[in-house]
Amino acid sequence: MNRRVLGVVMALLAAMILFECVVLGYGESPRAVLRMLFEGTWGSGYGIGQTLFKATPLLFTGLAVQVGLRAGLFNIGAEGQLVVASFAVGWLGTKLGGLPAPVAIPLLLATAFVAGAAWALPTAILRLRQNVHEVLGAILSNRIADALVAALLAGGAAIKGTVHTADMGAGCMLPRLGAFVPALGASAASLALPLALVVVAAVLPLFRKTAIGREIVLSGSNPTASTAAGVPVGLRRGLAYVASGGLAGLGAAATVLGYKGYYEQGLGSGAGFLGLAVALLGRGSFFGLALAALLFGTLQQGGLAVNAIVPKEVMDVFAGVVIVAVAIADRWVAAVPPVKTPAAAQGAA
Amino acid sequence: MTKAIVARGMTKICDDGHPAIAGVDASFEPGELSVVCGENGAGKSTLLRAITGLIARDAGAVALADRPRTPATSSATEAPVAPGAEAALAAGLCMVQQHLALVPIFSAVENAVLFARGGLVDHAAIEALLKATLDRLGFVVPLDVPVGKLSVAERQRIEIARAVAAPALAGTKVPLRLLALDEPTAVLTPAEADGLYAVLRGIAEGGTAVVVVTHKLDEVRKFADHVLVLRRGKKVHDAPFVRADQDAAIDQVARAMLGDAHAHLAHTHRSSEQGRGGAPAVVAEGLALGALRRGTFAIQRGEVLGIAGVEGNGQGELVSILAGVARGWTGRVTPGPEAVTAIFPDRHAEGLVLDATVEDNLLLGSHRDFSGPLGLLDGDALAAEALRRARKAGAPTTLEALASSFSGGNQQKIVVARALGKSAPTVLVAAHPTRGVDVAAAAAIHQELLRWVAATPDRCALVISADLDELRTLSNRIVVLAHGEITGEFTPDATDAELGAAMLSVEKHG
C-alpha cells in the first residue's frame, strides 16, 4: 500500500517537472503560473467551491469505472452514459414544474441512474453474449449518444435556436453548498458533492460485504474458474457493467441538477473519460478516489484560472502526463522487490 | 570437456518473508539424470527456477565448474553465471516449467520463434531446427496446428524440444548444459512417462545434466542417477541413487522427504464390490462433445468409477458435461449438474482464482449461502466454513493469503477442499485430484475423497487420472476411455499392462 502511494507521489513529481518545462516553453514563469493556478482554485472560497464542483462528476464517473474494473471490464463508455443521463434528466425536469423537491429530486436521480444503466446495457450484452469487446461497444455507444442527443435537441427538445433544454421546475434543483457554507460564495458546488461521497462510500464496501459483490470480483478475475464453480458469471459481470453505467449517469446530479438547471449540449463532456484517470489513480479506495477526483477537479478549474497567460490545454497536458506517469510508476513499484525483514533474512542464511 | 553446474547458497525469500529455499547447495553433472524430490512447497521448483534464472534469487551463485560434485568453495577455473534468464540461457541452462509456457494460438514453430534472438527471424531455419530436434528426440507432433489444439503430452513434447533447442535458437554456440523439468510426468500415463525418461536419458548421454522434479518414488527407483531431497526449503539428502540396494535407498529418500512423520504408504487396492444396489446413481448415455464420441456408463450408489486413458481422449469434455459448464453437447445424463461437485483438470484455468484469497477460493460458488439480512455476508461464518473445508483436505488455512502465493500442490489442495467441502451434491467428478501433490498429501486427499463418498448412502464418484495406482487405490471399477469411447472394464487389480493395452489398442484402429 505504502509503495503504491509512493509510486503516485513520484508520478505527480515527474508530471510537475514536465509541466514546468512546458510553461517555460511558453516563455512564462512556472512560479507565476503556479501562483495563478493556486489562487484560482484553493486560494479563495469561490475557487474552492468551483474546484469541488468540477470534482463532483469525476467522483461518480471514477467510481463507475472502478466498478467495471472490479468485474474485469473497462467502462470507457462512461462518457456516453453521462451524456444520455444528463439529457434525460434535463428533459424530464422540464415536465416536473410543480413537483416539490423531495419528490422531484429522487425521481430525477433515479432517472439519471436508469438512463446511464440502460445506455450501458447493449455494450454489456454484446460483451457477455457475443464476446464483442466492451471497449469497442462503448466507443460506438459514446458516438451514438452524442449524435442521438444532438438529434433530439434539434428535433424539438431544445429551445428553438439554442442547444439547451428549457429551465427545469424550481423543485428540481439541488441546493448550492454556498447556501450552507457562505465562504464558498456563488460557486457551483452543490449538494451533489456530499451525495457523491455517500455513494462512493456505500458502493465500494459492497464488493467485500455482499455475496454478489464477491462473485463479481471473482468472476472478473477468472471467469472460467468461477463458471466451473457454479457462479453465474455473465449475470454478475453484466450487472457490474450496467451498474457502472448507472453510476456514471448519476454524474448529471452535479451538472444538470446542481449547476445549470437545464441540459445543454456538451455539458459535463470529458468527465466520463477523466473518470478513467480518477479510477486509475484512486486505486479503488475511498480516499484514493476522493483525492484523485480533487486533483483532476483542481486541474480543470486551474486551467480556466491560468488561461490568461498560458492556454488552458496546458493543464490537459499535465493531466495526461500524470496518467502516463502513474502507469509507469505502477510497473516500477511492481518491479521493486518487497522489503525483507532482518529476521527473515537471518533465517535464510 | 563439458562442465558441471554448481549452485551454492541458493536462497529465495517469499513476499511474506519466509524463505522458499534457504542456502541450498547443489551440483549437477553432465551425463547424469538427477531427481529432485520433496513435499509440496519444499522449494523444488523454486530451486530450479532460481538456477535457470526464471526468478530472481536473493542470495547464492551459479557457476560452471570443471571439478566434479559440489566443491565447498569456488575455484579459479569456474565460470560464474550471472543472474537472469538471458545469462542462464547463454550458459546453456534451460527449464521446462510445470505449467507449460506455450502460446496456445501459435503453432509449435511460432512458439519456437519466440525463443529466437536478433532483429530478423528466419522462419524456415527455425522450423528446420525444431524438426531436427524433434526427430532426434523421437517425438512426433504436428508442427502447423495451434498448440492449444494438441494434447497435454504433445504440448509437453514441443516444450521439451524447444528447451533442448533453446541455445541454438538464441544463436549461441554453447551446448545444452542443464535441462530442468518440473514435474513432467504429472500429466502423463505410465507408458508415456517411461517413454519420456528414455528420451531424457538420451539427452543426458549427449552430455547434458538432466534434472527432474517429481513426487513419484517409483520414478526415482527406475530412473535416477542422483537424488536431491528438499524439505521446507533446505537440502536434507544429496546422494547418488544406489541401485544395488534399491529398497533401502528408496526408504532413505522417503524418510528424507517426509521427515520423522514417515509412515508406510503402501498402495491398497479397493475391493470390487458393486456398490450398494438399487437404481444407479449416475446414468450417462451417448455423451458426445469434441474428442468425446460416446460416453455411456453407469455408476452405482456408493461406487467409485475410475476412468483410465491417454489424455485428450474425451476426459476434459466428460468433466465439463457432467459439471454443467459445457455447451453444445449431445446425449443424456442424470442427475443434472446441480447434484455434481467437480475437481477440474487444470487448476489454473478452471480451479482457482489466483489473485483472490484462499478464503474466496475455498468458498467460490458458495458465497450466496452466507448472505445475512440486507444481503450482507456473515464474515465469521464465511471464515469458519472456509477453515472447515481447508482442514478436512489439509489445504492452507491462512485465509487472507492469495492463492497465487502457494506452490502447485497446495493450490491443488485448495481446489480439492472446495469440491469436497460441499455437502449438497451427491456426485463427485474428480479429474486428476492429486496432480502435483506429494505422497503424504495425496494419501490424505484419497482418504477424504473416499470418506466423502461414504458419508451418505446415495453418493458416488467418478475419478479420472493418469496415475493408474491412484485409480486402483480409489476405484471399485475401472473403465478405459480411448478415442472418445469406453473400451474396456476392469477390476481394481488389473495390471498396468492390461490397462495400458486397452488404453492404446483402440488408437491403432481409430
Side-chain angles (χ1 to χ4, degrees):
Chain A
M1 188 65 206
N2 286 332
R3 290 192 303 152
R4 286 179 152 192
V5 173
L6 181 69
V8 170
V9 171
M10 300 279 289
L12 287 176
L13 279 177
M16 201 65 146
I17 291 168
L18 214 91
F19 169 74
E20 301 202 347
C21 294
V22 172
V23 171
L24 284 172
Y26 275 98
E28 297 292 342
S29 143
R31 220 166 174 199
V33 171
L34 279 178
R35 185 180 308 125
M36 233 169 158
L37 174 71
F38 180 78
E39 280 168 0
T41 54
W42 297 95
S44 69
Y46 175 78
I48 291 174
Q50 282 302 101
T51 305
L52 294 178
F53 160 64
K54 293 282 187 191
T56 308
L58 302 184
L59 274 173
F60 283 114
T61 54
L63 175 67
V65 173
Q66 180 59 35
V67 167
L69 286 178
R70 296 311 300 266
L73 297 172
F74 195 64
N75 184 10
I76 200 172
E79 187 77 14
Q81 292 144 12
L82 178 57
V83 166
V84 170
S86 301
F87 172 81
V89 168
W91 177 81
L92 185 68
T94 60
K95 313 285 176 198
L96 298 179
L99 277 182
V103 181
I105 285 180
L107 183 63
L108 287 167
L109 290 176
T111 303
F113 187 91
V114 170
W119 202 250
L121 185 62
T123 303
I125 292 174
L126 281 172
R127 174 67 175 88
L128 299 165
R129 289 234 152 213
Q130 310 294 331
N131 212 14
V132 176
H133 202 282
E134 75 272 11
V135 166
L136 279 180
I139 290 174
L140 293 174
S141 320
N142 286 344
R143 301 299 296 263
I144 296 170
D146 283 342
L148 177 72
V149 167
L152 288 172
L153 285 171
I159 298 173
K160 226 171 172 46
T162 71
V163 286
H164 62 82
T165 57
D167 283 342
M168 300 191 298
C172 297
M173 291 288 289
L174 278 172
R176 297 280 173 92
L177 282 183
F180 311 101
V181 187
L184 296 176
S187 69
S190 67
L191 280 186
L193 175 68
L195 175 71
L197 292 172
V198 167
V199 170
V200 174
V203 168
L204 287 178
L206 296 181
F207 291 109
R208 178 152 181 83
K209 302 252 184 226
T210 68
I212 289 178
R214 284 214 197 184
E215 288 187 346
I216 285 172
V217 176
L218 292 164
S219 299
S221 192
N222 187 344
T224 315
S226 299
T227 305
V231 177
V233 168
L235 284 178
R236 293 292 176 266
R237 299 180 79 194
L239 172 68
Y241 193 83
V242 169
S244 169
L247 291 169
L250 280 182
T255 49
V256 180
L257 304 185
Y259 172 43
K260 287 279 187 186
Y262 54 81
Y263 175 73
E264 181 178 42
Q265 198 173 358
L267 182 64
S269 80
F273 292 129
L274 267 182
L276 299 171
V278 171
L280 176 72
L281 210 59
R283 309 302 165 101
S285 80
F286 175 84
F287 290 106
L289 280 177
L291 287 175
L294 274 183
L295 172 70
F296 286 101
T298 306
L299 294 183
Q300 279 198 312
Q301 178 61 22
L304 303 175
V306 301
N307 207 11
I309 52 175
V310 291
K312 70 176 193 306
E313 281 74 16
V314 168
M315 299 315 291
D316 293 343
V317 172
F318 183 73
V321 174
V322 169
I323 295 168
V324 173
V326 166
I328 294 171
D330 235 22
R331 299 286 302 262
W332 171 77
V333 167
V336 177
V339 182
K340 271 138 206 165
T341 60
Q346 235 166 32
Chain B
M1 172 190 158
T2 33
K3 291 170 183 272
I5 294 88
V6 177
R8 290 193 193 83
M10 300 301 286
T11 299
K12 173 73 189 174
I13 315 284
C14 299
D15 284 355
D16 62 8
H18 89 270
I21 49 171
V24 175
D25 297 332
S27 78
F28 303 106
E29 309 280 317
E32 264 188 13
L33 200 158
S34 308
V35 171
V36 180
C37 298
E39 291 192 286
N40 297 137
K44 309 177 294 286
S45 311
T46 308
L47 175 65
L48 295 183
R49 282 193 207 143
I51 289 174
T52 51
L54 297 177
I55 53 172
R57 52 190 186 241
D58 290 309
V62 179
L64 305 177
D66 290 324
R67 273 195 299 162
R69 207 45 79 196
T70 334
T73 52
S74 60
S75 69
T77 57
E78 284 186 9
V81 178
E86 291 288 330
L89 184 60
L93 317 181
C94 291
M95 176 155 177
V96 176
Q97 302 208 60
Q98 187 181 3
H99 291 273
L100 302 183
L102 296 170
V103 182
I105 59 166
F106 281 6
S107 71
V109 178
E110 286 161 344
N111 270 289
V113 167
L114 296 178
F115 270 42
R117 293 292 174 269
L120 295 173
V121 169
D122 185 347
H123 203 91
I126 288 169
E127 180 162 2
L129 178 62
L130 188 65
K131 240 181 204 153
T133 312
L134 286 165
D135 284 349
R136 191 149 51 80
L137 298 176
F139 289 154
V140 180
V141 279
L143 291 182
D144 46 357
V145 178
V147 297
K149 292 204 192 299
L150 302 177
S151 73
V152 175
E154 284 175 317
R155 273 183 265 167
Q156 187 182 52
R157 286 176 203 145
I158 292 169
E159 183 121 12
I160 291 170
R162 185 171 78 160
V164 168
L169 282 170
T172 62
K173 295 268 188 294
V174 300
L176 179 71
R177 290 206 174 92
L178 177 94
L179 178 65
L181 302 100
D182 194 356
E183 300 197 29
T185 59
V187 296
L188 302 182
T189 60
E192 287 172 331
D194 288 356
L196 175 66
Y197 273 104
V199 170
L200 295 179
R201 176 61 67 194
I203 295 173
E205 279 164 2
T208 300
V210 176
V211 190
V212 179
V213 169
T214 186
H215 289 300
K216 300 179 185 168
L217 290 177
D218 209 33
E219 293 174 8
V220 176
R221 182 197 298 274
K222 285 205 269 197
F223 307 110
D225 297 327
H226 193 92
V227 186
L228 200 89
V229 180
L230 298 180
R231 192 164 77 231
R232 291 182 198 154
K234 308 230 172 183
K235 188 173 75 177
V236 291
H237 178 93
D238 186 358
F241 187 77
V242 185
R243 203 146 273 115
D245 192 4
Q246 297 197 17
D247 291 337
I250 280 290
D251 195 52
Q252 208 183 358
V253 171
R255 273 177 202 287
M257 278 171 71
L258 301 171
D260 298 333
H262 174 49
H264 185 61
L265 298 162
H267 283 293
T268 50
H269 299 169
R270 294 191 76 199
S271 70
S272 52
E273 36 129 346
Q274 286 293 307
R276 297 189 185 99
V282 175
V283 178
E285 276 175 66
L287 299 180
L289 171 72
L292 183 65
R293 294 197 308 182
R294 203 171 63 223
T296 300
F297 56 89
I299 312 177
Q300 306 298 320
R301 288 163 207 278
E303 189 184 34
V304 178
L305 178 68
I307 294 201
V310 177
E311 186 112 353
N313 276 282
Q315 291 95 329
E317 289 85 350
L318 186 58
V319 176
S320 1
I321 291 173
L322 294 175
V325 298
R327 286 185 189 185
W329 54 280
T330 56
R332 279 189 309 162
V333 61
T334 53
E338 64 286 345
V340 174
T341 179
I343 298 167
F344 283 80
D346 185 337
R347 63 175 163 262
H348 281 181
E350 302 137 334
L352 291 168
V353 181
L354 284 171
D355 49 6
T357 61
V358 169
E359 178 185 288
D360 276 340
N361 273 292
L362 285 168
L363 299 175
L364 186 60
S366 303
H367 285 105
R368 273 159 285 163
D369 303 343
F370 297 90
S371 274
L374 300 171
L376 294 183
L377 285 169
D378 179 348
D380 293 340
L382 281 176
E385 172 66 8
L387 273 181
R388 188 189 68 79
R389 290 185 181 188
R391 293 211 173 104
K392 253 181 141 178
T397 52
T398 43
L399 297 181
E400 289 307 309
L402 295 184
S404 58
S405 66
F406 292 94
S407 69
N410 277 323
Q411 291 176 348
Q412 182 68 19
K413 291 180 202 164
I414 297 174
V415 173
V416 171
R418 178 175 68 228
L420 297 184
K422 294 180 186 167
S423 50
T426 55
V427 181
L428 171 69
V429 177
H432 311 287
T434 60
R435 178 180 281 182
V437 174
D438 61 65
V439 189
I445 288 175
H446 288 163
Q447 213 171 28
E448 202 49 50
L449 196 150
L450 294 175
R451 201 174 292 154
W452 186 90
V453 174
T456 68
D458 55 344
R459 284 184 178 170
C460 69
L462 180 145
V463 177
I464 294 170
S465 180
D467 180 349
L468 296 181
D469 276 330
E470 172 164 68
L471 290 178
R472 281 188 283 251
T473 306
L474 293 173
S475 315
N476 304 103
R477 192 156 56 96
I478 299 174
V479 295
V480 171
L481 185 63
H483 269 234
E485 296 184 52
I486 305 286
T487 58
E489 187 175 321
F490 298 87
T491 53
D493 51 9
T495 63
D496 276 9
E498 287 169 337
L499 289 166
M503 283 156 65
L504 296 172
S505 63
V506 177
E507 277 194 319
K508 285 173 192 154
H509 303 298

